[in-house]
mmCIF file of all heavy atoms in Angstrom:
data_model
loop_
_atom_site.group_PDB
_atom_site.id
_atom_site.type_symbol
_atom_site.label_atom_id
_atom_site.label_comp_id
_atom_site.label_asym_id
_atom_site.label_seq_id
_atom_site.Cartn_x
_atom_site.Cartn_y
_atom_site.Cartn_z
ATOM 1 N N MET A 199 173.200 208.665 -25.415
ATOM 2 C CA MET A 199 172.804 209.128 -26.751
ATOM 3 C C MET A 199 173.420 210.509 -26.935
ATOM 4 O O MET A 199 173.235 211.387 -26.094
ATOM 5 C CB MET A 199 171.281 209.242 -26.868
ATOM 6 C CG MET A 199 170.568 207.921 -26.997
ATOM 7 S SD MET A 199 171.047 206.953 -28.442
ATOM 8 C CE MET A 199 170.011 207.671 -29.703
ATOM 9 N N VAL A 309 164.640 201.255 -35.978
ATOM 10 C CA VAL A 309 165.326 202.225 -35.112
ATOM 11 C C VAL A 309 166.831 201.919 -35.090
ATOM 12 O O VAL A 309 167.663 202.819 -35.276
ATOM 13 C CB VAL A 309 164.724 202.200 -33.689
ATOM 14 C CG1 VAL A 309 165.508 203.092 -32.745
ATOM 15 C CG2 VAL A 309 163.254 202.618 -33.745
ATOM 16 N N PHE A 310 167.140 200.655 -34.883
ATOM 17 C CA PHE A 310 168.538 200.194 -34.946
ATOM 18 C C PHE A 310 168.461 198.750 -35.423
ATOM 19 O O PHE A 310 168.023 197.880 -34.670
ATOM 20 C CB PHE A 310 169.200 200.286 -33.570
ATOM 21 C CG PHE A 310 170.706 200.171 -33.593
ATOM 22 C CD1 PHE A 310 171.508 201.224 -33.171
ATOM 23 C CD2 PHE A 310 171.344 199.009 -34.040
ATOM 24 C CE1 PHE A 310 172.908 201.133 -33.193
ATOM 25 C CE2 PHE A 310 172.735 198.912 -34.063
ATOM 26 C CZ PHE A 310 173.512 199.970 -33.646
ATOM 27 N N GLN A 339 174.630 202.319 -28.230
ATOM 28 C CA GLN A 339 174.396 201.666 -29.517
ATOM 29 C C GLN A 339 172.927 201.187 -29.535
ATOM 30 O O GLN A 339 172.055 201.981 -29.196
ATOM 31 C CB GLN A 339 175.393 200.538 -29.729
ATOM 32 C CG GLN A 339 176.847 201.017 -29.739
ATOM 33 C CD GLN A 339 177.748 199.958 -30.353
ATOM 34 O OE1 GLN A 339 177.721 199.747 -31.557
ATOM 35 N NE2 GLN A 339 178.528 199.271 -29.524
ATOM 36 N N ALA A 340 172.698 199.932 -29.916
ATOM 37 C CA ALA A 340 171.304 199.493 -30.111
ATOM 38 C C ALA A 340 170.412 199.696 -28.882
ATOM 39 O O ALA A 340 169.299 200.221 -28.993
ATOM 40 C CB ALA A 340 171.275 198.034 -30.535
ATOM 41 N N MET A 341 170.906 199.308 -27.711
ATOM 42 C CA MET A 341 170.024 199.355 -26.534
ATOM 43 C C MET A 341 169.594 200.788 -26.222
ATOM 44 O O MET A 341 168.433 201.052 -25.928
ATOM 45 C CB MET A 341 170.782 198.739 -25.347
ATOM 46 C CG MET A 341 169.965 197.852 -24.463
ATOM 47 S SD MET A 341 168.872 196.716 -25.307
ATOM 48 C CE MET A 341 169.909 195.305 -25.563
ATOM 49 N N SER A 342 170.550 201.698 -26.317
ATOM 50 C CA SER A 342 170.222 203.096 -26.044
ATOM 51 C C SER A 342 169.354 203.686 -27.137
ATOM 52 O O SER A 342 168.446 204.476 -26.865
ATOM 53 C CB SER A 342 171.497 203.930 -25.930
ATOM 54 O OG SER A 342 171.871 203.994 -24.588
ATOM 55 N N ALA A 343 169.636 203.298 -28.391
ATOM 56 C CA ALA A 343 168.830 203.797 -29.501
ATOM 57 C C ALA A 343 167.391 203.270 -29.384
ATOM 58 O O ALA A 343 166.423 204.003 -29.603
ATOM 59 C CB ALA A 343 169.437 203.377 -30.830
ATOM 60 N N TRP A 344 167.248 201.995 -29.004
ATOM 61 C CA TRP A 344 165.898 201.443 -28.847
ATOM 62 C C TRP A 344 165.150 202.169 -27.716
ATOM 63 O O TRP A 344 163.962 202.487 -27.855
ATOM 64 C CB TRP A 344 165.953 199.939 -28.571
ATOM 65 C CG TRP A 344 166.361 199.117 -29.769
ATOM 66 C CD1 TRP A 344 166.208 199.452 -31.092
ATOM 67 C CD2 TRP A 344 166.994 197.828 -29.757
ATOM 68 N NE1 TRP A 344 166.697 198.446 -31.887
ATOM 69 C CE2 TRP A 344 167.192 197.436 -31.105
ATOM 70 C CE3 TRP A 344 167.413 196.960 -28.754
ATOM 71 C CZ2 TRP A 344 167.780 196.216 -31.463
ATOM 72 C CZ3 TRP A 344 168.002 195.744 -29.106
ATOM 73 C CH2 TRP A 344 168.180 195.381 -30.446
ATOM 74 N N ALA A 345 165.846 202.427 -26.621
ATOM 75 C CA ALA A 345 165.197 203.148 -25.517
ATOM 76 C C ALA A 345 164.808 204.556 -25.973
ATOM 77 O O ALA A 345 163.698 205.031 -25.714
ATOM 78 C CB ALA A 345 166.137 203.209 -24.310
ATOM 79 N N TRP A 346 165.710 205.197 -26.677
ATOM 80 C CA TRP A 346 165.443 206.535 -27.229
ATOM 81 C C TRP A 346 164.194 206.483 -28.119
ATOM 82 O O TRP A 346 163.308 207.337 -28.039
ATOM 83 C CB TRP A 346 166.677 206.975 -28.018
ATOM 84 C CG TRP A 346 166.573 208.241 -28.777
ATOM 85 C CD1 TRP A 346 166.898 209.496 -28.341
ATOM 86 C CD2 TRP A 346 166.129 208.405 -30.138
ATOM 87 N NE1 TRP A 346 166.682 210.405 -29.346
ATOM 88 C CE2 TRP A 346 166.217 209.770 -30.451
ATOM 89 C CE3 TRP A 346 165.668 207.516 -31.120
ATOM 90 C CZ2 TRP A 346 165.849 210.287 -31.710
ATOM 91 C CZ3 TRP A 346 165.307 208.017 -32.359
ATOM 92 C CH2 TRP A 346 165.401 209.397 -32.645
ATOM 93 N N GLY A 347 164.122 205.444 -28.970
ATOM 94 C CA GLY A 347 162.979 205.292 -29.885
ATOM 95 C C GLY A 347 161.659 205.169 -29.124
ATOM 96 O O GLY A 347 160.640 205.743 -29.520
#
Side-chain angles (χ1 to χ4, degrees):
M199 285 300 276
V309 174
F310 195 117
Q339 299 197 72
M341 221 43 88
S342 267
W344 289 334
W346 174 91

